[in-house]
Amino acid sequence: MAFIDFRSDSVTQPTDEMRQAMAQAPVGDDFFGEDPSVIELENYGASLTGKQAAIFVPSATFANQLALFCHCNPGDEVIIDENSHIVQKESGAAALISGVNFRTFVPKNGVLCDDDLIYRIRTGHEPDEPKTALICLENTMSCGNTIPLKQMQSMRYITARYHVPVHLDGARLFNAATSLNISAAEIAQNADTVTLCLSKGLCAPAGGLLCGSKEFIEKARQKRRLLGGEMHKVGGLAAAGLIGLKQMRQCLVQDHETAFYLANSLTQFAEIEVDITRIETNMVTFKFREDNFETEAFEDFFKHRNILLFGPNAQGTVKLYTHHWINKQHVDSFVKTLKEFLQD
């Protein structure tokens, strides 16, 4: 049974071209640095982000945690958005793996203000304070909105002044670049290290990249093994990732157009609050004005009609993702089903 799946852009399936490339990919042992497909993927990913080198890892979550592990020492402090994926969706791994403390912030209108950033940076000169070892940003943010380039540049100026490195969770970096109509490298140049996810909107079956300086990536290769992320004959996965980077990133604009179409379609419902001016990439959030139903019942109603989604969260918000396997006809089916739900 084929479902229309709005739960995440991580549910994307590999394209036929990816499957063919995976079957035909030349492979070697990545442990020895001998997998030609992995080497090509790493070099290409590094070039897209304007970095010297990259390392192929099992997932973007792995890449984020590897970055923290390499940047920080136990007891260090990391300044980070409290709604970010690293804080909310990575199982508290930073505390266990890197032994770091998070000093979180809440973006104002979706962006961290310079003064708030300066206030949170701690130099470690005081004997009873931890040292700020890293600042983590996420672009796009968890809400699907972008951090404007000027804001990234301003924050980079501050972090350089205080000699604090920046890690950018760019799991959806190409969505941000598409929305801002700039290159991924223009965004990434404001960070020391960058995570890329290959298995969300880019449709690859698995994998992520951590990009940075040659020295940093060499350190990451040593620590990847310590974390159990050493891989061997994974050229097939790398081949799919290459198609994601070379071709599927060019298709993200269609996902954004579908998201806007979806948000605009929701404005017809008096029972729903949706701000279409906040739609920048492939995420659409909305709220019911009166939430008088159970989340499970909401999800089951749609599932029985071959539509998968998550019901309202604790804040009453529903988030829908568009991706390569969601088109405007699928949106129309969802809207039709939503009408049935509201009339039920």
Side-chain angles (χ1 to χ4, degrees), residues 95-224:
L96 178 65
I97 296 171
S98 302
V100 296
N101 176 57
F102 285 154
R103 192 171 197 191
T104 62
F105 63 85
V106 179
K108 296 177 181 178
N109 296 321
V111 176
L112 173 64
C113 296
D114 292 349
D115 289 343
D116 288 343
L117 178 60
I118 294 172
Y119 166 76
R120 283 171 172 78
I121 293 176
R122 300 201 271 202
T123 61
H125 292 157
E126 297 297 328
D128 57 349
E129 286 187 350
K131 178 183 178 181
T132 300
L134 185 67
I135 294 169
C136 287
L137 303 175
E138 188 174 20
N139 206 4
T140 66
M141 295 178 286
S142 61
C143 60
N145 295 136
T146 62
I147 302 177
L149 184 60
K150 286 186 177 180
Q151 183 65 28
M152 292 282 295
Q153 293 168 338
S154 177
M155 296 176 71
R156 181 59 165 174
Y157 173 79
I158 293 171
T159 59
R161 191 171 79 196
Y162 285 89
H163 306 288
V164 180
V166 176
H167 172 65
L168 175 62
D169 180 355
R172 297 183 178 89
L173 177 62
F174 299 110
N175 290 90
T178 299
S179 177
L180 295 170
N181 196 29
I182 57 178
S183 70
E186 289 180 84
I187 300 173
Q189 69 180 354
N190 298 292
D192 297 273
T193 54
V194 184
T195 287
L196 300 179
C197 183
L198 304 172
S199 62
K200 289 189 171 72
L202 302 185
C203 294
L209 289 171
L210 176 61
C211 310
S213 68
K214 289 181 179 179
E215 181 181 7
F216 186 91
I217 296 304
E218 184 58 37
K219 182 178 182 180
R221 290 193 185 281
Q222 298 171 357
K223 294 203 171 187
R224 180 182 67 172

Side-chain angles (χ1 to χ4, degrees), residues 25-42:
V27 300
D29 195 322
D30 184 46
F31 175 75
F32 296 111
E34 296 175 351
D35 192 308
S37 299
V38 171
I39 292 171
E40 183 181 359
L41 173 66
E42 291 175 340

Side-chain angles (χ1 to χ4, degrees), residues 162-323:
Y162 285 89
H163 306 288
V164 180
V166 176
H167 172 65
L168 175 62
D169 180 355
R172 297 183 178 89
L173 177 62
F174 299 110
N175 290 90
T178 299
S179 177
L180 295 170
N181 196 29
I182 57 178
S183 70
E186 289 180 84
I187 300 173
Q189 69 180 354
N190 298 292
D192 297 273
T193 54
V194 184
T195 287
L196 300 179
C197 183
L198 304 172
S199 62
K200 289 189 171 72
L202 302 185
C203 294
L209 289 171
L210 176 61
C211 310
S213 68
K214 289 181 179 179
E215 181 181 7
F216 186 91
I217 296 304
E218 184 58 37
K219 182 178 182 180
R221 290 193 185 281
Q222 298 171 357
K223 294 203 171 187
R224 180 182 67 172
R225 181 169 179 80
L226 188 154
L227 294 177
E230 195 69 63
M231 300 185 290
H232 294 278
K233 296 164 286 291
V234 288
L237 290 177
L242 269 168
I243 292 177
L245 291 179
K246 291 181 177 181
Q247 299 179 22
M248 300 310 295
R249 68 184 174 92
Q250 310 290 349
C251 301
L252 294 175
V253 65
Q254 298 169 13
D255 301 343
H256 298 180
E257 290 173 356
T258 304
F260 186 81
Y261 178 77
L262 169 58
N264 191 56
S265 298
L266 293 174
T267 60
Q268 67 183 278
F269 295 102
E271 301 91 339
I272 285 176
E273 296 178 11
V274 58
D275 184 357
I276 62 173
T277 66
R278 296 288 295 167
I279 308 303
E280 294 184 46
T281 56
N282 68 318
M283 299 182 204
V284 176
T285 59
F286 66 90
K287 286 186 177 182
F288 290 97
R289 298 185 190 279
E290 294 183 9
D291 186 354
N292 54 0
F293 53 84
E294 294 183 356
T295 294
E296 185 175 350
F298 178 78
E299 294 174 354
D300 286 345
F301 184 91
F302 284 87
K303 186 175 182 179
H304 290 154
R305 291 155 180 80
N306 299 333
I307 298 174
L308 299 179
L309 45 71
F310 290 123
N313 60 19
Q315 290 73 44
T317 298
V318 178
K319 181 187 290 187
L320 304 178
Y321 294 77
T322 57
H323 49 75

Side-chain angles (χ1 to χ4, degrees), residues 15-36:
T15 64
D16 290 342
E17 188 172 358
M18 282 183 176
R19 295 176 188 275
Q20 183 177 358
M22 290 171 68
Q24 298 174 349
V27 300
D29 195 322
D30 184 46
F31 175 75
F32 296 111
E34 296 175 351
D35 192 308

